[in-house]
Amino acid sequence: MDTTGHGYESPPSVTRIKACASQETNSGNSIITPERTVNTIPKKKQTALKWSGWGYNDTIVVCEPNGNLYMTSDRYPHMKNKHVNQSVRLWLRDKLNMDLYDESTMVRSPVTPQMEISKPIVNEDFMKGLQRYNISYSMESDDRLFRGHGHTLDDIIHLRTGKIERVPDVVVWPGCHDDVVKIVNLATEHNVVIIPFGGGTNVTLALTCDPEEKRMIVSLDTSQMSRVLWVDKANMTACCESGIIGQDLERELSKHGVISGHEPDSQEFSSLGGWVSTRASGMKKNQYGNIEDLVVHIRFVTPSGVMEKQSLGPRISSGPDFNHIILGSEGTLGVITEVIIKVRPVPEVRDFASYVFPEFQYGVDFMREVALKRAQPASLRLIDNEQYRMGQIYKDSLGIFGSILDSIKMFYLHSIAGYAEDKLCVVIAVFEGDKMDVNQQKTRIKKMTEKYRGLDAGSENGKRGYTLTFSIAYIRDACIDYGVLAESFETSVPWDRCANLCRSVKNTISRECKARGITHHETSCRVTQVYDAGACVYFYFAFHRGMMDFHKALKVYDEIEEVARDEVIACGGNISHHHGIGKKRQKWLPMQVSPLGVNLYRAVKQQIDPNNIFASGNLVDLKSSL
Amino acid sequence: MSSNGSPSQIAEGTEQAEDRQKAANAAPQLQDVLRHTCPSPAGPRVLSTFRNILDRDSCDLVWVTKEWRPQQVTLHARTRTTAKIRQDVISSPKMQHTIEQLSSQNEVPKEALWRELNDILIEMGHTQTMPVVRWFGYVLSKIMRKIYSGVFVNEESIARLRASIGNNPVIFMPSHRSYADFLLMSYVCFHYNIMLPVIAAGMDFVSMWGVGRLLRDSGAFFIRRSFGNDKLYWAAFSEYVQTLITAGENPIEFFVEGTRSRTAKSLCPKLGLLSVALEPYLTGQVSDIVVVPINISYDRTLEETLYSYELLGVPKPKESTSGLFKALNVLDEQYGRIHIDFTEPISVNKFFGDLRSPKLMRPLHLPHQITPDESTRIIWLANYVVRQQQKNAVISLFSLAAVVITHHVLTKPRNQLLNMHQLTRQVASLKSAAESFGALIDCRDNLEVSLQNALHIHKSLIVTSKDGQVQVKNVAAAQAPIDPAKMKGHSLQDKTLQVGVPMVMLQHYVNQTLHLFICPAIVSLSVQQSINQGSGMKDDVFARYLFLRTLLSHEFILHKAWETMDFEQSIQQLQKLGVLDESLHDSMKLSLGSNSHLHQILCQLLLPFLAGYSSACSTMLEVPAGKTVSLNEALKSTQARLEKLLLSAQLNHHYSLSLDLLTAAVNSLSSMGAVIKNKENGKVLYSPNSNRLRQVTQIVGDFLQLVAPICRKSQDEQARLFITQAKARL
């Protein structure tokens, strides 16, 4: 049997595009763009992206023993031609037992997968159906492997050590909504499992396949459904297919002079459908809103039919909002095919700012005040001391004048303003809008920082801090090479408990590490979102695995993260702010939504997907007591 | 003795069964927790790890002026000035909420409340300042060198402490036997470069001119002894404590016993301050709190004579600076050694982790309501802390000698004096018994020399004549005459006081050993009674044991959850010592062993308590039905009854007169349901629950019968065993 349906090279036929586009209405000032979007990431993703880590194949963090520190591509201009900051290098060595100059202990990822991918389970009837509908598919091992994982630390370690038990049996690429309907119907008819796949950037084990699953598993990759179907500038909305990834979405929209403004850390690779199904949050949510604020309308294909709201109105009172069953469903109920989202004009000005505060508590108090006055710029994040120091690892090669300027600044900070290097924290702000708005916002924020002993640290630092976000996942992978396991986890918390939570979680992790004899570890956090009622806190926890092998270290990591999550909850935080549940945080769901809530979910699942076609196993372990 | 009824009846009548059930339910799970939390130390404790901190290389001046770079309690701590702490308390959401509430409830303007709050906080606040601490440290060094032969600190325990601080707030909970405790902890911390504690102290000191200020500057903050329903004060006090906990700049030190124990026995722990201090943990504001029980053992208590009078009812002089100077004549005396042991730090998280509410659905400014489960656990923790303090005591040889001497005075005919040789022999055997109960005895040289040294320190109470006779000195004679009107209890006769004061002083040191002996003593007596009544079956013994244990639960640290554990351990230990027969044919039947001397000593230790409790029962029985008495009235008439018994030689242990003992008796009867406690117009009154009380009286009486014949001698006879102060001077 052919392992592939459509060849990768052959473009979809013109007639099929017409067939798929025929349903769109052509009315008012809507602009119809039925052409295929040119995807940044090719259909065979592994040709551009790493098979066992984050991001592009050509982009690796490199540190040379001569002190050069850089990324091997031009994609991240801020990470070019840097030098290692020696004091930070020593600090890292001290804290994490991670010597950037010592390549001898490095364990790099194998260049190609070292594991045996088991033969696919094939449901002949289903496959015949696919071929009948002329839908593109692949059964090649590397395609299947790529769809069998996300970017959870567990995923990465398992990939590198070749411990992947089960991957999807086939990858299918529907080209439009109708294709999806056909696939879902086929799967329902022949009892085949579907796991929707967007960008594959989850950190919740959401794509891990159940090794016990005896049915054929289909990975439904939405990446070829990436068109912007129309942009409506009268109402500032756009209808997009769900498979479009963040960077393509903004590029396509900007052709019409608008943007979505949704900018999660994974923006380069994650998809619109993925955002909706995990309740994603973007860095600039203050200006543009979280995904649930952006969504106007969703088309949702389930084994029991298509669900949609049938209204473009801004608000509707029609009983419970069923969009909220789709938002956060994590691929367990159906496939999101098309989303109408709000868009905004491309901002005239984008500006950055950064402020230094003497202590974390001052920073939190400042953030709280900003939220109280509702003066938040597009993005506002507070970075704790550990992360601030980590950020100093890149030293610009500005020449001698640059460093003198730096040292004068530092001298002022420490000696005159009395800020201790090991206590200070940084706030980074992004402003977007027209020039006058941005200036007004900046002045207002500046004034508020003064109340909490904040000092202006310049816009360049702000820009650097903001863009550093996109390279953090690359750095995480590099850390693994050095034997350091690192992962993030997040929560949201009421204002009055925010600083306590940060401190308590750090303490708890430190205690747990000590109890396990881990000598080199570091926990840092940042407050990344402000809300009226509280904030989002984002933790990074890293430790050196020492003498442990990767699997043992991973087990220890998971144990500690579990205790840390218990502590988060005990301190008034919750299960997750935007990462979601997946298979990693199911333990806490009944506590979080009450047992009745879980039963309600089970009832919905039973109604929509009685045969468990969408058996990704996320949210609730249905096997446990169904 | 049919009146005793079946064992199950005895047990049934003891206390609210559900309470015990609750504690028992918590028990297995917590037992696991504790095993996990507090692994028993690698080896037995030894004296060699204790180091005398007065014996240091640098001179005092160099020592007090050393560079101050203490080990921080928590890394996040920021040092706050007194004013800043006050401001933090005032501006806390909880305080704001309280003020708003009080203002609208009582229709008082907020400004008045703010002013009142500010005054409260000024009265409360500590003002720790290093120059004062240093200067004070210098003076203390000089004083301590003069009166103590050493302040010995377990350095192993210091290392353990150091390893467990750095992340979480720390609470020091020392035992409290003397005013000296206040200063000692700070002194030790200064010596070992540990952040100095902030100490919760009673208001009594504030009025002493200069002293209040001095203690404040050394880090004490002051809490009123009683503030009843004063909501503003309560809120201010709890917020003050909690801001100290959450900020984590200093360890917090307080005495879980609430006040100095006049009896040298541990007092039943008070829960108020502990609950307040744990609230930040229970409400998820801190991830853990480290509780460090600390034992401070004194060879000789500074306040020994004072306590003795106080216990007999002679009023305590109000704390005053001139009084303090008068007390300085203590400087002419020798007080031996002090031993300080920081016990294994307790992680509150390990203790409470499973109870911490997973969902905090209340904002922080609303007061936390302690749940019944939390409350049970706090009681457990408090008892555990006290037990840890006890377990880590260093027992002076003099305490063992006091047991032997008391036993001798009570049981032997007057012409038979105790000589040094007998004393040494008996102390040796008691020492090995105590050691098998886990005690660390301060015996550095051979026993004879050590014992002589120990006796020498107490030469004002015990004298050894040239021919080796050991006698108790009549210390009472030297005191000024006492105005009967000032007596807190019954106005005791002079001759009662003359025997009573030294006997109570001696009992002070006997009491230092009782935490070791109490459970074995109860078991021994229960076994004996059970056998006398033809049973000896283990469950019958257990029922009797349970009765006595419950009866004495206000007297000793006998937490319910440890009932079975203590029982089994005691039986094992007693079998090893030959008090109980080891060669058991029937594992369910117990019998007495060959070591009848130790058995007698153990049983006799219970005498003053049983006698006192028995009299308290009789007194309460005499209260006519429908009538009530105040605690004070009950104490007075019980003391009067006891004095009569003492004069007529029906009783010979004067410690039964102790007001602390009798108060505990009334409380115990009340919690056993034999006496009903009523509150009328804010006054607490007691009335008998006749049937129940009669039952309890009978059982206590039966136990007393077993102990009493061992020692029967009149007060006059006893008096002759004493040598007078005047004689001693010769």
Side-chain angles (χ1 to χ4, degrees), chain B residues 181-441:
Chain B
D181 298 329
F182 276 104
L183 312 166
L184 264 174
M185 289 306 307
S186 306
Y187 194 85
V188 171
C189 287
F190 183 78
H191 182 82
Y192 288 103
N193 290 319
I194 295 168
M195 203 69 184
L196 300 182
V198 168
I199 311 153
M203 268 322 247
D204 346 4
F205 295 104
V206 175
S207 51
M208 298 163 72
W209 184 86
V211 176
R213 180 64 200 276
L214 184 61
L215 289 179
R216 240 184 244 285
D217 287 350
S218 324
F221 66 99
F222 296 97
I223 304 167
R224 293 180 193 163
R225 281 267 173 225
S226 57
F227 39 91
N229 266 341
D230 188 340
K231 283 191 182 142
L232 185 65
Y233 192 86
W234 176 260
F237 147 72
S238 54
E239 190 59 31
Y240 193 85
V241 171
Q242 286 167 14
T243 191
L244 294 177
I245 293 272
T246 48
E249 351 167 38
N250 299 79
I252 298 199
E253 174 185 334
F254 65 85
F255 302 104
V256 72
E257 295 164 280
T259 181
R260 285 177 303 157
S261 164
R262 272 73 169 162
T263 61
K265 287 186 288 109
S266 298
L267 299 174
C268 289
K270 304 285 180 294
L271 307 173
L273 187 47
L274 180 60
S275 307
V276 167
L278 291 183
E279 198 181 304
Y281 170 79
L282 294 172
T283 55
Q285 297 176 70
V286 295
S287 59
D288 198 359
I289 297 176
V290 177
V291 173
V292 190
I294 296 159
N295 178 282
I296 308 177
S297 299
Y298 294 95
D299 273 3
R300 184 179 165 197
T301 314
L302 289 175
E303 297 99 326
E304 52 175 10
T305 323
L306 194 66
Y307 286 163
S308 194
Y309 277 97
E310 255 185 62
L311 289 175
L312 290 169
V314 181
K316 170 189 176 190
K318 196 168 186 287
E319 253 61 80
S320 73
T321 311
S322 67
L324 185 78
F325 280 111
K326 269 184 209 156
L328 284 183
N329 65 19
V330 301
L331 293 186
D332 299 335
E333 299 258 344
Q334 278 305 305
Y335 290 85
R337 298 189 184 105
I338 300 174
H339 287 91
I340 300 174
D341 201 341
F342 291 70
T343 75
E344 179 85 32
I346 301 166
S347 152
V348 168
N349 187 50
K350 291 266 171 63
F351 241 91
F352 287 82
D354 56 320
L355 287 188
R356 208 147 53 131
S357 157
K359 276 185 272 182
L360 300 166
M361 292 305 293
R362 286 159 69 85
L364 280 174
H365 70 267
L366 296 179
H368 174 68
Q369 303 289 340
I370 301 249
T371 67
D373 279 348
E374 285 169 357
S375 161
T376 313
R377 206 62 72 82
I378 291 172
I379 295 172
W380 180 304
L381 174 62
N383 276 280
Y384 183 74
V385 166
V386 179
R387 236 190 204 198
Q388 285 295 99
Q389 292 172 353
Q390 293 178 333
K391 275 191 180 165
N392 289 275
V394 175
I395 309 277
S396 143
L397 273 181
F398 183 76
S399 302
L400 298 179
V403 174
V404 175
I405 294 168
T406 308
H407 187 68
H408 185 91
V409 168
L410 295 178
T411 55
K412 293 293 182 295
R414 67 185 143 118
N415 51 3
Q416 198 179 320
L417 286 175
L418 183 66
N419 65 41
M420 200 55 206
H421 178 66
Q422 288 168 312
L423 180 65
T424 314
R425 203 173 32 114
Q426 290 193 37
V427 165
S429 83
L430 198 58
K431 174 171 174 280
S432 64
E435 278 167 348
S436 77
F437 294 141
L440 177 62
I441 314 277

Side-chain angles (χ1 to χ4, degrees), chain A residues 359 361-362 365 423 496-497 500-501 503-505 507-508 510-511 514 567 569-573 591-592 594, chain B residues 75-78 163-164 167-168 246 283-288 347 349 356-360 362-365:
Chain A
E359 275 172 32
Q361 181 72 50
Y362 286 103
D365 293 346
K423 289 225 160 143
D496 61 347
R497 296 179 178 276
N500 281 337
L501 180 133
R503 196 171 59 217
S504 292
V505 170
N507 274 350
T508 301
S510 159
R511 182 186 72 211
K514 197 167 160 189
E567 184 65 21
I569 288 165
C571 293
M591 175 283 302
Q592 192 68 71
S594 77
Chain B
L75 296 174
H76 67 264
R78 43 172 143 160
S164 59
N167 278 337
N168 295 301
T246 48
T283 55
Q285 297 176 70
V286 295
S287 59
D288 198 359
S347 152
N349 187 50
R356 208 147 53 131
S357 157
K359 276 185 272 182
L360 300 166
R362 286 159 69 85
L364 280 174
H365 70 267

Side-chain angles (χ1 to χ4, degrees), chain A residues 334-349:
Chain A
V335 189
I336 296 150
T337 55
E338 286 168 20
V339 186
I340 299 175
I341 53 169
K342 300 179 202 168
V343 292
R344 299 289 303 156
V346 173
E348 185 185 320
V349 181

Side-chain angles (χ1 to χ4, degrees), chain B residues 593-640:
Chain B
S594 55
N595 195 344
S596 62
H597 183 68
L598 183 56
H599 172 73
Q600 276 194 1
I601 289 187
L602 286 175
C603 291
Q604 181 257 305
L605 287 174
L606 295 173
L607 170 70
F609 301 99
L610 290 174
Y613 281 53
S614 167
S615 281
C617 286
S618 309
T619 308
M620 287 312 295
L621 267 181
E622 279 172 12
V623 177
K627 285 273 163 66
T628 55
V629 287
S630 70
L631 177 65
N632 203 254
E633 287 162 345
L635 296 184
K636 273 191 181 179
S637 39
T638 311
Q639 269 196 327

Side-chain angles (χ1 to χ4, degrees), chain A residues 474-508:
Chain A
Y474 287 100
I475 296 172
R476 197 272 297 271
D477 289 346
C479 284
I480 298 177
D481 294 346
Y482 288 98
V484 171
L485 273 64
E487 175 77 293
S488 62
F489 55 94
E490 37 63 82
T491 189
S492 79
V493 58
W495 278 116
D496 61 347
R497 296 179 178 276
C498 182
N500 281 337
L501 180 133
C502 296
R503 196 171 59 217
S504 292
V505 170
K506 285 183 184 180
N507 274 350
T508 301

Side-chain angles (χ1 to χ4, degrees), chain A residues 177-445:
Chain A
H177 170 83
D178 286 351
D179 284 355
V180 174
V181 174
K182 287 171 194 158
I183 296 168
V184 171
N185 287 343
L186 269 181
T188 313
E189 191 184 335
H190 302 298
N191 197 22
V192 160
V193 171
I194 295 179
I195 298 180
F197 183 91
T201 56
N202 76 82
V203 285
T204 57
L205 298 177
L207 287 170
T208 310
C209 298
D210 179 4
E212 307 293 307
E213 182 59 68
K214 298 286 182 287
R215 295 177 289 178
M216 182 181 194
I217 300 179
V218 176
S219 178
L220 190 154
D221 185 335
T222 56
S223 63
Q224 304 311 302
M225 299 164 46
S226 56
R227 288 172 299 171
V228 174
L229 296 174
W230 47 256
V231 175
D232 175 353
K233 291 179 92 170
N235 298 303
M236 291 306 272
T237 52
C239 181
C240 312
E241 287 184 311
S242 64
I244 190 165
I245 58 173
Q247 54 173 325
D248 292 348
L249 177 67
E250 295 302 31
R251 189 191 64 227
E252 291 303 309
L253 289 176
S254 67
K255 290 178 184 165
H256 304 282
V258 295
I259 57 165
S260 76
H262 188 72
E263 210 163 275
D265 294 5
S266 61
Q267 195 235 14
E268 297 162 279
F269 309 107
S270 56
S271 69
L272 173 59
W275 301 338
V276 174
S277 72
T278 56
R279 294 186 73 89
S281 170
M283 289 186 278
K284 296 187 293 190
K285 77 97 195 151
N286 296 337
Q287 189 109 337
Y288 302 96
N290 285 322
I291 194 70
E292 68 272 19
D293 310 312
L294 285 167
V295 163
V296 176
H297 181 270
I298 306 171
R299 269 187 127 181
F300 192 50
V301 180
T302 78
S304 312
V306 176
M307 182 157 80
E308 52 192 323
K309 242 186 196 174
Q310 304 293 9
S311 163
L312 288 179
R315 189 168 187 278
I316 181 168
S317 175
S318 56
D321 185 349
F322 295 119
N323 270 357
H324 283 277
I325 285 179
I326 305 167
L327 282 155
S329 59
E330 301 193 4
T332 61
L333 299 175
V335 189
I336 296 150
T337 55
E338 286 168 20
V339 186
I340 299 175
I341 53 169
K342 300 179 202 168
V343 292
R344 299 289 303 156
V346 173
E348 185 185 320
V349 181
R350 181 183 225 204
D351 205 350
F352 298 90
S354 66
Y355 311 95
V356 182
F357 291 84
E359 275 172 32
F360 193 67
Q361 181 72 50
Y362 286 103
V364 173
D365 293 346
F366 160 74
M367 302 279 274
R368 203 276 160 275
E369 170 107 2
V370 172
L372 193 66
K373 300 267 166 69
R374 291 207 174 154
Q376 49 268 54
S379 171
L380 188 69
R381 36 176 63 186
L382 167 66
I383 286 163
D384 76 349
N385 185 263
E386 287 84 0
Q387 242 174 78
Y388 152 76
R389 286 219 245 175
M390 205 84 86
Q392 301 294 303
I393 187 76
Y394 291 108
K395 201 168 118 193
D396 285 293
S397 31
L398 291 174
I400 193 156
F401 292 108
S403 60
I404 286 179
L405 203 67
D406 264 0
S407 55
I408 290 173
K409 263 193 221 157
M410 286 318 259
F411 177 76
Y412 173 75
L413 217 56
H414 301 321
S415 307
I416 299 176
Y419 291 25
E421 170 90 45
D422 60 349
K423 289 225 160 143
L424 60 81
C425 65
V426 178
V427 165
I428 285 168
V430 180
F431 303 86
E432 283 188 3
D434 57 46
K435 205 163 178 141
M436 202 177 68
D437 269 0
V438 165
N439 284 341
Q440 270 175 357
Q441 281 186 33
K442 280 187 92 167
T443 320
R444 201 165 173 209
I445 290 288

